[in-house]
């Protein structure tokens, strides 16, 4: 079985451990490299939201409510996002949900003890929305990282392409440059809904788009 031919249904049904086994015993296609081509992640179909997302829209209105277009320039938005990404990564201690809440998945803003990747994503989105970035341009995404561990990042949708804010690095890069396998993404037209994207990383046959 070639990893590059993993189907949508197959990749979504595989647990991380099973997928890691497939990758370890299969020929891996090269990870995407950043090309600067201005590509965007493309929705393949509607899909169920991640478990931790349940109830989040009611708890944090800004997480799902669309706002007007940003008055900031594209360069100003990227500069601001870089600053916020670095600030949150530096100031918020990393702590897993199991240690903090006693369960595997609990999406919330970081506490005084810290937070995990989803929590940092939420804080970054909140800070950027409060600073004038359009909420529909800040999309939570679930991915598999380069080691095929479950992870969450914040997608900044700019005029030139989708960029990634990540608690594992202070650099903001194009989604292709991460080497991550992108699984699910908030729907920018209805932020309470999610789409399967299935692109990058171990998936080499999914389309992208350019504006």
């Amino acid at each position: 079985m070639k990893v590059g031919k993993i189907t949508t249904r197959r990749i979504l049904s595989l647990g991380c451990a099973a997928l890691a086994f497939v990758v370890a015993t299969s020929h891996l296609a090269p990870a995407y490299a950043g090309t600067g081509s201005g590509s965007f992640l493309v929705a393949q179909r509607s899909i169920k939201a991640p478990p931790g997302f349940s109830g989040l829209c009611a708890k944090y209105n800004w997480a799902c409510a669309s706002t007007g277009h940003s008055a900031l320039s594209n360069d100003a938005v990227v500069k601001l996002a870089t600053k916020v990404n670095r600030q949150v990564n530096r100031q918020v201690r990393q702590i897993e949900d199991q240690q903090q809440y006693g369960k595997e998945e609990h999406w919330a803003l970081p506490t005084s003890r810290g937070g995990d990747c989803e929590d940092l994503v939420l804080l970054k989105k909140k800070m950027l929305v409060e600073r004038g970035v359009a909420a529909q341009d800040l999309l939570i995404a679930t991915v598999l990282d380069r080691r095929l561990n479950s992870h969450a990042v914040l997608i900044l949708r700019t005029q030139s392409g989708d960029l990634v804010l990540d608690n594992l690095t202070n650099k903001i890069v194009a989604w292709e440059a991460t080497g991550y396998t992108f699984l699910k993404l908030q729907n920018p037209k209805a932020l309470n809904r999610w789409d399967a994207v299935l692109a990058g990383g171990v998936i080499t046959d999914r389309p992208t788009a350019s504006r």
Side-chain angles (χ1 to χ4, degrees), residues 2-211:
K2 294 183 178 180
V3 174
K5 296 297 184 181
I6 290 177
T7 64
T8 299
R9 181 173 297 178
R10 180 63 174 164
I11 193 77
L12 290 174
S13 65
L14 283 171
C16 288
L19 182 56
F21 175 78
V22 171
V23 173
T25 58
S26 305
H27 177 66
L28 261 177
Y32 280 88
T35 62
S37 59
S39 59
F40 296 78
L41 291 161
V42 177
Q44 303 303 319
R45 62 179 175 85
S46 297
I47 198 169
K48 187 177 180 180
F53 188 76
S54 177
L56 204 69
C57 296
K59 186 175 183 179
Y60 304 127
N61 178 264
W62 47 265
C64 303
S66 296
T67 59
H69 293 292
S70 173
L72 301 172
S73 68
N74 191 68
D75 288 345
V77 168
V78 174
K79 184 177 180 179
L80 175 61
T82 301
K83 180 180 179 180
V84 167
N85 187 61
R86 184 183 299 112
Q87 178 182 344
V88 172
N89 289 351
R90 183 179 67 249
Q91 294 180 352
V92 180
R93 176 176 176 265
Q94 302 287 314
I95 181 173
E96 295 299 321
D97 286 339
Q98 188 65 52
Q99 183 180 353
Q100 180 156 219
Y101 300 107
K103 54 184 178 181
E104 289 298 324
E105 285 294 328
H106 182 83
W107 290 26
L109 286 171
T111 68
S112 59
R113 299 181 67 193
D116 66 357
C117 57
E118 294 92 357
D119 302 346
L120 271 70
V121 162
L122 287 171
L123 179 56
K124 292 171 186 178
K125 179 165 185 170
K126 180 177 186 292
M127 291 174 65
L128 288 168
V129 168
E130 290 174 344
R131 287 159 175 76
V133 181
Q136 58 270 26
D137 291 335
L138 297 165
L139 308 173
I140 305 170
T142 59
V143 305
L144 298 179
D145 65 19
R146 288 177 179 266
R147 295 184 177 182
L148 302 179
N149 295 315
S150 296
H151 188 43
V153 295
L154 183 63
I155 299 297
L156 173 63
R157 182 149 285 180
T158 71
Q159 296 173 4
S160 54
D162 286 341
L163 305 179
V164 177
L165 282 69
D166 191 348
N167 67 297
L168 300 181
T169 177
N170 289 330
K171 293 182 179 180
I172 293 181
V173 298
W175 72 267
E176 312 103 304
T178 63
Y180 292 170
T181 304
F182 287 78
L183 303 177
K184 300 181 182 183
L185 182 71
Q186 272 186 299
N187 184 317
K189 295 182 180 179
L191 294 170
N192 61 319
R193 301 177 183 176
W194 285 69
D195 294 318
V197 289
L198 301 171
V202 300
I203 305 170
T204 61
D205 58 350
R206 308 309 301 180
T208 61
S210 297
R211 288 194 238 182

